[in-house]
Structures are given as C-alpha cells and as structure tokens.
Amino acid sequence: MALYLIGIGLSTEKDITVKGLEIVQKCDKIYLENYTSLLQCSVPDLEKSYGKKVILADRTAAEQKDQEIVEEARKKNVAFLVVGDPFSATTHIELFKLAKEKNVPVKVIPNASVLTAVGITGLQLYKFGQTTSIPFLEEHPNLETPYNALNENQERGLHTLFLLDLKPEKNKFMTVNEALDILEKIEARKKQNLLKKDTLVIGCARLGSDNTIIKAGPLEKIKKYNFGKPPHCLIIPGKMHFVEEEMLEFYAQGL
C-alpha cells in the first residue's frame, strides 16, 4: 500500500505518462488537486480515460485532509493527481513530508510543468530568476512581492516568470491583461521605473496544449491582446542572447 503523487501534465487526459496511468489504474482511490492550475479537459474526461472515479480536492480540502489521505494510503493504494508536475507547486511537498513522517510509502511520478514549458518562448531556462505569483489585488491591496521579484531579477539580467492566480471554485482565473494592470498599479506606487508602456513582455496561454498562444511585444500592446481561455502566465525577459531575441520576433507577429 502506498501514496502516489502523480503529475498528469498540462493539457488533457492524454498527458499522463504511461507509468502514471498504470499506477492510477491499480489504485483504490484517486484524488485530483484543483487549485494550482487548470487542465484543458474535464473530470469526466479523466475518469473515462483512466477507468476510475476521480475525487476533486480543492485547496482547503487538501490542506485539511492531508492526514486522512496519508492514513488511507496506509491501507490502500492512493493516487494524488497534480496538474503539471507534483512539485512545481510547493504545496504538495507537505503531503510528501507527512507520508514520510508517518512511515507511509510514498512515490512520485514526474511530468511536464509550466516551469519547463516556458522554454517554447525561446528564452533559455537557466536564465530565469525567481519565479513569482501574482494574486488578485482585492485580497492583497498592498501587494509588492511580484514587483520586488522582478526588480531583483532585472538587476541580475534574469528573466521573470509570473504565475497568475486562479480560483476554480469561483470560476475566476487571472488573465495576462489583469496581471499587467496589477503590476502597473504597483509601479504607480513604487515608482522604480521597472515598467513602461514600451517594456517588452511575453503573454502565454494554455502552455503545453494544442492551442497554445504566445505573444511578445510592448506592454501597452500585450495588455490589449485577447489570450482566450485560461490558464495564462506572464514573462518579462531580462538580458537576452540574440537567439532569444530572434525567437521573440517570431512571437511578435500578428500583434
């Protein structure tokens, strides 16, 4: 008996690895986290493909039920499915750690994550600095963390990846446009001249899917672009190699 933390990829029910699928099909209970990202398919799609009932676990349920899930895994094979890779979001480390502390066998099945999927932009992955999140401003009126992370990365010439807030239970997902508006509001308060209308930014939507959108251009143009369905993320590049610049020229087309 064991707890399995299984990454199921970024897009549809087909993105799970063969190894991950084989484990899911032998498990007695399957949970799906529903708060760090968003798949481009439904729970019934997963259930049909996996041949198993899938139980949604929102943020509150997962944090409060960690003990229960680990205890279940003492007597049954339990799968905890994570959109992307199990450890892209640090939230799931707690579940892993708890299982270790309780001497319950726990195994991790990796998969693709947004942290590597951004490589399609042409920006070199090892030149990304601190990744930061942008939460909805109404809950954090004095927000500065993403702006400060950008400042630190820019000082070092590194790219900045912003992960955008989402609240699936309210069908609320932050867009690239909203994220830029939030950063501009912080700029208006901080006045450190990090963001201008002509600042080069990259908006991404549905990375890893068949209908990925990537657009690079000045902030004022990207802010007006319709990226469509979530999830979205935002990148502000640092110092670039000429090959990176050439790739972004490709993504500037059609603005």
Side-chain angles (χ1 to χ4, degrees):
M1 303 301 105
L3 172 64
Y4 296 91
L5 301 181
I6 303 175
I8 59 173
L10 295 169
S11 185
T12 72
E13 70 278 9
K14 296 181 180 180
D15 286 0
I16 192 170
T17 63
V18 173
K19 183 177 182 180
L21 180 59
E22 288 176 347
I23 291 172
V24 166
Q25 290 177 337
K26 78 172 186 179
C27 280
D28 304 296
K29 205 161 188 179
I30 295 95
Y31 292 95
L32 169 66
E33 64 94 351
N34 187 40
Y35 48 90
T36 61
S37 190
L38 178 71
L39 283 173
Q40 302 299 304
C41 66
S42 66
V43 171
D45 291 332
L46 296 179
E47 292 178 332
K48 182 178 179 181
S49 179
Y50 300 167
K52 290 283 187 173
K53 174 70 177 174
V54 175
I55 303 166
L56 274 181
D58 62 20
R59 187 180 299 275
T60 302
E63 291 175 353
Q64 293 177 349
K65 282 195 169 186
D66 280 0
Q67 295 273 358
E68 181 181 323
I69 290 171
V70 168
E71 286 306 315
E72 284 181 325
R74 194 183 297 279
K75 301 175 182 177
K76 302 176 181 178
N77 286 314
V78 178
F80 191 85
L81 309 182
V82 181
V83 179
D85 182 83
F87 292 144
S88 290
T90 55
T91 307
H92 309 308
I93 291 175
E94 290 302 317
L95 187 57
F96 178 86
K97 187 162 69 76
L98 181 61
K100 286 288 189 183
E101 290 170 352
K102 298 291 186 180
N103 293 315
V104 172
V106 55
K107 298 182 181 180
V108 179
I109 314 301
N111 208 315
S113 84
V114 66
L115 301 180
T116 52
V118 293
I120 194 175
T121 62
L123 297 180
Q124 296 165 353
L125 293 178
Y126 62 85
K127 290 172 63 179
F128 276 82
Q130 178 187 351
T131 296
T132 187
S133 299
I134 302 181
F136 289 107
L137 204 55
E138 59 264 27
E139 298 176 8
H140 302 271
N142 299 313
L143 181 68
E144 291 187 1
T145 300
Y147 187 90
N148 293 338
L150 172 63
N151 188 29
E152 292 176 14
N153 288 341
Q154 289 286 305
E155 286 179 350
R156 298 167 61 196
L158 301 176
H159 311 317
T160 305
L161 169 62
F162 298 92
L163 304 178
L164 310 189
D165 204 358
L166 69 163
K167 299 187 181 301
E169 71 280 4
K170 297 181 180 179
N171 197 31
K172 187 176 182 181
F173 304 92
M174 186 180 293
T175 65
V176 167
N177 324 76
E178 290 170 327
L180 289 171
D181 185 61
I182 289 171
L183 289 176
E184 284 186 310
K185 283 183 168 68
I186 302 173
E187 174 66 61
R189 282 193 281 112
K190 299 276 285 183
K191 293 183 169 58
Q192 293 181 356
N193 211 28
L194 284 183
L195 292 164
K196 306 173 186 175
K197 289 185 177 181
D198 62 352
T199 298
L200 176 63
V201 302
I202 306 159
C204 307
R206 301 172 300 283
L207 287 175
S209 73
D210 292 337
N211 61 346
T212 295
I213 289 180
I214 301 168
K215 290 295 177 183
L219 185 151
E220 63 178 345
K221 282 192 176 181
I222 297 297
K223 192 176 175 183
K224 296 175 182 175
Y225 191 85
N226 181 5
F227 285 87
K229 295 191 303 181
H232 295 183
C233 66
L234 172 68
I235 301 168
I236 297 183
K239 187 176 180 180
M240 291 188 289
H241 185 272
F242 72 88
V243 174
E244 293 176 297
E245 292 175 342
E246 289 172 354
M247 278 295 291
L248 293 191
E249 287 175 8
F250 173 78
Y251 291 120
Q253 297 174 16
L255 274 180

